[in-house]
Amino acid sequence: MESPWRAEFFWLALLAFAGLFFGKTTGLYVIGACLAVLAYLIRQLYHINRITLWLRAGGKIPQGSGIWEEIYYLIYRLRRRNKSRKKRLVEMLERFRTATAALPDATVVLGPRDEIDWFNEAAGRLLGLRKGDIGQQISNLLRAPKFAEFLRARNYAATVGIASPVVEKGQLEIRVVPYGKDMRLLIAQDVTQLRFMERVRSDFVANVSHELRTPLTVLRGYVETLGDAGEALPERYQKIFRRMEEQTTRMQKLIDGLLALTKLESGAQADLKRVCAAALLKTVCDEARLLQQDGQSLELRLESGADLLGLEAELRSAFSNLVLNALKYARGDSAVTVLWRDEPGGAALDVEDDGPGIAAEHLPRLTERFYRADAGKSGAGLGLAIVKHVLTRHEGELKIASSPGKGSCFSCRFPEKRLLRNRA
Ligand code: ADP
């Protein structure tokens, strides 16, 4: 295109020349100049009017000359680009909608006040949402108290399991992911099948453990009786009976541990009671002292006066697992410390020993069933799994600080809502 400014100057020069010519022929130079400026102004106003009409109503690109031709063209190009960008965005949105609609998980977009902004087909199927529910607060539609509390807590790392409000016996696992400004995505996964399989597994383990318990008790009885009469037997038989006794005791512990775990997994949350932490810890430590090796000592320090809200039997089993482990792994001449203390947001029980410690790679897996960092020491590998379950049921958590050669500290942390601080 020819330079637009050149054409514009041509127009300006033409009008100036016409004004000059008018002045020369009439002698009224000022009027001539005014007429030239007026004509130029009219030309600009004319084009401004055209551009406004065009921008408002759309249609064909207007024709112009000089700088106006350039302006019309640039606006036209901008519009065309915007149009194709809009088209691409609409296509992308459509693809996104089709993809999210096809997701097997229920997906709901929540606004700042937990109101429903959008949801996919699966949300209709699993959560029973309908078109008319848009704008409603989700907690008015999913009325499980657990869900309301979960939503209020805004703990985005956690998930909550609830029964599906529409699918009979359906189980859902819900998580919430924050995004953008005050927006959140609620994702509900159908875990009915998974929960069913978990129940089958846990029933199987419980049944097998239960069925093994009776024959094992009989076997242990016989082995013990034979062992008692051991002195009359030749030395090599005595050794065999001692081994048999050790192994049956180990199997008994395994079965007891497995049964305790299945009870914890399937047991409904019973009525919570005030558990005097000081008294419980004194009993646990007194019992543990009976098993400590000569030269070992066990110190109990009670720095917090808080009591626990929970189930005494479960807490007792968790605490004594930790204390007995500490004595088992501590050196023969060392002190194990049990400390009940306050901490920001709750209270904690620290069980500390100066044993061999645990290498970092084992730490994340220690609470798995049957996981043993030290295969040398006899043990079922179920103790810490039980501790973790008990703590989860008490809304607490287990923290392990340990490094090889430096001993270990197992901390059970309880949140303030699981503590009672005023004297009963
Ligand atoms: P186990 O019956 O084998 O002790 P646990 O579940 O109680 O089972 O512990 C799992 C593993 O964690 C143990 O096998 C051991 O390797 C490690 N462990 C637990 N407590 C301690 C401790 N106080 N010091 C060192 N290692 C420990």
Side-chain angles (χ1 to χ4, degrees):
M1 185 199 288
E2 198 184 315
S3 162
W5 283 110
R6 199 182 303 159
E8 194 63 25
F9 285 132
F10 168 76
W11 271 101
L12 211 54
L14 194 73
L15 288 173
F17 183 75
L20 201 69
F21 181 72
F22 180 84
K24 199 161 174 102
T25 48
T26 59
L28 302 169
Y29 282 100
V30 178
I31 304 264
C34 284
L35 280 176
V37 171
L38 193 68
Y40 191 67
L41 207 64
I42 288 172
R43 173 182 142 78
Q44 303 302 339
L45 285 175
Y46 167 74
H47 282 295
I48 289 173
N49 182 42
R50 274 183 86 189
I51 207 166
T52 318
L53 289 177
W54 178 51
L55 286 178
R56 203 175 285 150
K60 259 175 64 186
I61 177 169
Q63 294 301 315
S65 56
I67 191 64
W68 284 103
E69 189 182 4
E70 174 80 352
I71 291 173
Y72 287 142
Y73 172 72
L74 289 177
I75 293 179
Y76 171 74
R77 204 173 62 178
L78 210 66
R79 277 183 138 194
R80 217 175 43 193
R81 265 194 213 154
N82 276 348
K83 214 164 152 186
S84 72
R85 194 176 302 153
K86 202 161 137 190
K87 199 170 151 215
R88 270 207 314 276
L89 273 176
V90 169
E91 276 170 12
M92 216 157 84
L93 199 68
E94 198 46 47
R95 273 208 303 275
F96 171 75
R97 264 173 200 255
T98 334
T100 40
L103 278 179
D105 296 342
T107 313
V108 185
V109 173
L110 296 178
R113 288 175 300 105
D114 295 339
E115 73 278 15
I116 301 173
D117 228 40
W118 177 88
F119 59 85
N120 69 350
E121 263 171 40
R125 216 172 44 246
L126 297 173
L127 304 173
L129 300 184
R130 290 191 219 119
K131 278 240 153 57
D133 294 334
I134 300 251
Q136 291 250 34
Q137 286 198 324
I138 186 101
S139 44
N140 291 342
L141 301 163
L142 298 182
R143 303 200 65 94
K146 255 200 302 182
F147 174 70
E149 198 184 316
F150 167 75
L151 213 58
R152 229 176 295 127
R154 305 208 163 206
N155 176 4
Y156 300 123
T159 58
V160 68
I162 60 163
S164 165
V166 273
V167 183
E168 203 186 336
K169 293 194 179 151
Q171 290 292 320
L172 301 175
E173 180 143 298
I174 298 185
R175 69 167 52 241
V176 171
V177 188
Y179 74 96
K181 193 173 175 283
D182 284 343
M183 296 299 279
R184 280 167 306 151
L185 201 64
L186 180 146
I187 301 162
Q189 193 185 6
D190 183 358
V191 288
T192 316
Q193 199 62 18
L194 199 73
R195 294 280 176 272
F196 174 71
M197 296 306 287
E198 276 171 6
R199 216 176 42 249
V200 169
R201 176 189 60 82
S202 124
D203 285 355
F204 174 76
V205 173
N207 288 339
V208 169
S209 311
H210 203 77
E211 291 303 321
L212 281 175
R213 204 181 204 178
T214 318
L216 190 64
T217 313
V218 175
L219 201 67
R220 252 189 99 186
Y222 284 135
V223 171
E224 267 169 20
T225 315
L226 286 170
D228 288 346
E231 288 186 3
L233 295 168
E235 176 61 25
R236 77 194 163 102
Y237 287 117
Q238 281 184 35
K239 216 166 146 190
I240 290 173
F241 283 124
R242 269 202 304 277
R243 285 273 151 78
M244 283 170 78
E245 215 174 320
E246 271 168 31
Q247 292 306 316
T248 45
T249 309
R250 192 164 165 218
M251 277 165 78
Q252 183 92 48
K253 277 192 185 156
L254 249 166
I255 287 172
D256 289 348
L258 281 173
L259 281 172
L261 265 174
T262 29
K263 205 167 143 205
L264 282 171
E265 273 179 350
S266 58
Q269 194 67 269
D271 275 351
L272 304 177
K273 298 224 169 73
R274 181 183 199 116
V275 180
C276 175
L280 176 64
L281 287 169
K282 270 185 201 140
T283 316
V284 166
C285 287
D286 287 347
E287 281 172 5
R289 280 192 190 102
L290 300 176
L291 299 170
Q292 78 194 28
Q293 302 160 43
D294 289 343
Q296 279 188 330
S297 65
L298 178 61
E299 188 194 350
L300 171 63
R301 276 167 41 206
L302 299 167
E303 287 181 3
S304 166
D307 283 342
L308 283 157
L309 189 61
L311 299 172
E312 181 161 355
E314 290 186 5
L315 290 167
R316 187 185 175 134
S317 118
F319 295 166
S320 59
N321 261 314
L322 290 180
V323 175
L324 290 177
N325 267 356
L327 286 172
K328 182 158 91 179
Y329 292 97
R331 289 201 317 265
D333 57 348
S334 66
V336 166
T337 318
V338 177
L339 169 64
W340 178 233
R341 62 178 169 89
D342 286 325
E343 64 170 10
L349 175 76
D350 296 340
V351 181
E352 200 172 349
D353 66 64
D354 59 357
I358 308 158
E361 74 259 25
H362 296 301
L363 294 181
R365 301 195 57 193
L366 281 188
T367 54
E368 285 175 20
R369 291 160 183 235
F370 303 115
Y371 190 85
R372 281 152 50 195
D374 170 12
K377 292 256 180 192
S378 67
L382 291 175
L384 292 180
I386 293 177
V387 173
K388 189 185 166 196
H389 260 87
V390 170
L391 290 183
T392 309
R393 277 162 71 84
H394 286 78
E395 297 178 76
E397 55 173 348
L398 178 68
K399 290 264 172 227
I400 309 170
S402 183
S403 55
K406 294 209 175 117
S408 316
C409 181
F410 289 75
S411 299
C412 306
R413 294 179 159 177
F414 296 95
E416 202 59 51
K417 60 180 158 178
R418 285 306 192 121
L419 300 173
L420 293 167
R421 292 201 179 263
N422 51 336
R423 285 274 127 230

